[in-house]
Amino acid sequence: MLHSTTSYTNLRRRTLAKYPSQPLPVWAVTELLSFGSLPYLFELMKSAVARAVANDFGFMHPAPFGKVVRAVADLRNYCAHGSRLFSRHFKRAQSIAPRHTAGPLLDHVSTPGYSRTSTESKRLYINAAVLAFMLRSHSEPSDWPARFRDHILSFSLPLITPDGHRVVTPELDMGFPASWNTKLLWQ
């Protein structure tokens, strides 16, 4: 989906003026596409290129990485449109097998029952863990995993039942496993 016809027309005009006999370059087209178009672009890549991109983000094969890209686009849309994340059931279940990724950082989410939450594969934790893994695997450094960890640890929604139990917790409502913040992924 293109952002706006005016933006497209202006970019096309400038690009054609500079490169009159060439088609619109991919870098120019991506400036006009929405984030939701990213999974479709990934699916259109040649196999060798898709594998190289998947490898850059720690995935051994493009197929599981393609599913993750769709889930990341969903997560981005929830965030961009102000949707709640704390008890959300994401529409796409994440399933990460150890053979899908390089290294052990996601091994703790590869076995069902890693958290006390029902439908843990559709909760915030696995989506955040996969995103943290991708960012840690990429050559460009990112402090997002540590900032996310600190933000969740500071999470305090003071909804208490009459008998003194918290109504919303990362472990029960967001799919976080016990002692999740001590995992190597979040260090």
Side-chain angles (χ1 to χ4, degrees), residues 39-56:
Y40 301 106
L41 286 176
F42 183 76
E43 288 172 3
L44 293 172
M45 288 180 179
K46 291 183 179 182
S47 184
V49 175
R51 182 175 300 276
V53 171
N55 291 166
D56 282 348

Side-chain angles (χ1 to χ4, degrees), residues 1-4 8 26 28-45 65-66 68-77 81 91-92:
M1 164 188 279
L2 294 176
H3 286 299
S4 78
Y8 176 77
V26 171
V29 173
T30 58
E31 291 292 319
L32 301 169
L33 296 174
S34 69
F35 194 84
S37 301
L38 189 61
Y40 301 106
L41 286 176
F42 183 76
E43 288 172 3
L44 293 172
M45 288 180 179
F65 181 70
V68 165
V69 170
R70 287 196 174 282
V72 168
D74 292 342
L75 174 61
R76 179 262 171 212
N77 286 337
H81 298 288
K91 63 183 175 181
R92 297 178 212 283

Side-chain angles (χ1 to χ4, degrees), residues 47-186:
S47 184
V49 175
R51 182 175 300 276
V53 171
N55 291 166
D56 282 348
F57 288 98
F59 281 79
M60 303 306 291
H61 192 273
F65 181 70
K67 292 178 182 178
V68 165
V69 170
R70 287 196 174 282
V72 168
D74 292 342
L75 174 61
R76 179 262 171 212
N77 286 337
Y78 291 135
C79 294
H81 298 288
S83 298
R84 66 173 165 69
L85 295 177
F86 67 85
S87 63
R88 173 162 302 283
H89 284 79
F90 288 76
K91 63 183 175 181
R92 297 178 212 283
Q94 291 273 29
S95 176
I96 304 295
R99 70 182 184 281
H100 291 163
T101 60
L105 293 178
L106 287 177
D107 286 357
H108 69 287
V109 296
S110 64
T111 307
Y114 65 83
S115 83
R116 300 183 340 189
T117 308
S118 63
T119 63
E120 61 198 9
S121 64
K122 289 186 164 191
R123 296 298 185 130
L124 176 60
Y125 181 76
I126 193 164
N127 286 281
V130 168
L131 185 55
F133 170 78
M134 290 167 54
L135 293 171
R136 287 188 55 143
S137 299
H138 196 268
S139 61
E140 290 295 319
S142 173
D143 65 346
W144 185 86
R147 287 186 299 120
F148 179 81
R149 178 201 60 217
D150 294 346
H151 181 72
I152 294 298
L153 290 174
S154 71
F155 178 74
S156 177
L157 192 58
L159 297 174
I160 308 293
T161 63
D163 60 353
H165 292 89
R166 289 179 59 194
V167 175
V168 177
T169 68
E171 292 80 11
L172 292 177
D173 301 291
M174 299 180 231
F176 284 69
S179 302
W180 67 273
N181 57 310
T182 63
K183 306 283 185 206
L184 182 59
L185 176 66
W186 303 106

